[in-house]
Amino acid sequence: MYLNYIIFLFVSVFILPTALTAQDIDTLEILPDAGYSFEQVRTTYPKAFTLYKKGLRFNKEAYWVRFVGKNTNPYSQKVAVFPFPMFYNELYYYDYDQKKWIKVVAGMEVYTGYRRNNVHPIMLQGGRQDTLYIKIKTAPLLGQKYQADISMYIEPLEKHLANENWKWLWWITTISVMSAFFVYNLYIYWVFRDASHLFYLLIVVSGMLYITGLNHYFNVLWQARYYQMEPTALGIYHVDINNFFMHISILGVMTGFVHFTRYYLQLAYHLPAWDKGLRMALWVLLGLFMLSDTLTFSGLYYAD
């Protein structure tokens, strides 16, 4: 299986041409949404679009954005469009093979099967400048002190998938190695019934959860969608299902290391005062983390 991915990456990077380069879309036109359908936006209100300027404060729950996707090559090419904000977005492009408009949905509120939340895969025709439309949800930003600028980025889908497959290869390799550690130490625990090995297993499992969440693979493995966000002067900070499992894994690592140390060194027998101090410190630390996580993930206060 690894060999297949290595061959795919080699062909993608060194053999197949990637003529279309990544590009930021500088010119965007916007239309505040008033319950319009896509057909209304395209045919009835095309002249109502205005040039977008950064710093605009949103006063509608959604905005239609019109921009041009350029493909100067003579052949068609699949690309990935990355819009921001990325709560829930609907992108429309014209498919010349099917002779109809296609809708692609992505964002933090919808499962797409991609590691990143805002990947919109589309096809750009060769030698054309196609007009694209996207409906961007801005409702979570209404009434916020800080907001965000609308932005659009396009890169060849082939390049994006090649990068994603490299990340997947390193992730699955790391998880495989840690799984081997887990199986070996599970056998050691089954033979000796030593509690220190049980907590070592907790550390390993927590480490695998952390690495998976850190690389956003719960967006692929877990179809349930969840997020909390906090706009700041530096940008929009958010937590999602990946952060949730990362925080759970941190609690597991702390618990595992403290109890692994206690049982491995037999502190309760040799240094009972230190053993009691470690247990108390762990409970205090876990309590602070759980308080912070409860406030953040419930949406009461962003304490991340």
Side-chain angles (χ1 to χ4, degrees), residues 70-175:
K70 300 178 182 179
N71 184 7
T72 58
N73 305 297
Y75 53 87
S76 301
Q77 187 167 9
K78 291 183 178 180
V79 300
V81 181
F82 303 91
F84 187 85
M86 56 180 181
F87 305 113
Y88 180 89
N89 300 326
E90 300 175 352
L91 187 148
Y92 295 83
Y93 75 99
Y94 189 76
D95 189 307
Y96 289 88
D97 294 328
Q98 302 183 50
K99 299 186 184 306
K100 66 178 183 179
W101 288 89
I102 304 296
K103 179 174 74 171
V104 181
V105 178
M108 292 190 292
E109 298 179 5
V110 60
Y111 176 79
T112 63
Y114 287 96
R115 189 178 64 90
R116 296 175 60 176
N117 287 310
N118 62 336
V119 181
H120 296 72
I122 67 171
M123 176 72 77
L124 286 182
Q125 295 299 309
R128 295 184 60 93
Q129 296 187 15
D130 290 328
T131 300
L132 307 173
Y133 297 84
I134 184 167
K135 184 180 180 181
I136 295 182
K137 181 177 180 178
T138 55
L141 298 175
L142 295 181
Q144 298 285 349
K145 179 181 178 180
Y146 299 102
Q147 297 200 350
D149 291 322
I150 295 176
S151 62
M152 210 72 59
Y153 175 77
I154 297 179
E155 74 174 3
L157 184 61
E158 176 188 302
K159 175 184 176 182
H160 172 71
L161 293 179
N163 291 334
E164 289 299 297
N165 276 282
W166 273 119
K167 293 180 184 296
W168 181 89
L169 183 62
W170 288 116
W171 171 72
I172 200 67
T173 300
T174 303
I175 294 299

Side-chain angles (χ1 to χ4, degrees), residues 52-56 149-150:
Y52 172 71
K53 296 181 180 180
K54 292 185 177 182
L56 172 72
D149 291 322
I150 295 176

Side-chain angles (χ1 to χ4, degrees), residues 228 230 291-304:
Q228 294 289 345
E230 178 72 21
L291 175 62
S292 174
D293 290 347
T294 301
L295 292 174
T296 299
F297 287 101
S298 66
L300 294 175
Y301 177 76
Y302 192 90
D304 190 58

Side-chain angles (χ1 to χ4, degrees), residues 36-61:
Y36 304 135
S37 67
F38 171 63
E39 286 302 316
Q40 287 179 308
V41 169
R42 188 176 66 87
T43 60
T44 307
Y45 301 102
K47 296 183 179 180
F49 280 85
T50 59
L51 188 65
Y52 172 71
K53 296 181 180 180
K54 292 185 177 182
L56 172 72
R57 290 196 62 83
F58 303 124
N59 53 22
K60 295 290 184 180
E61 293 187 352

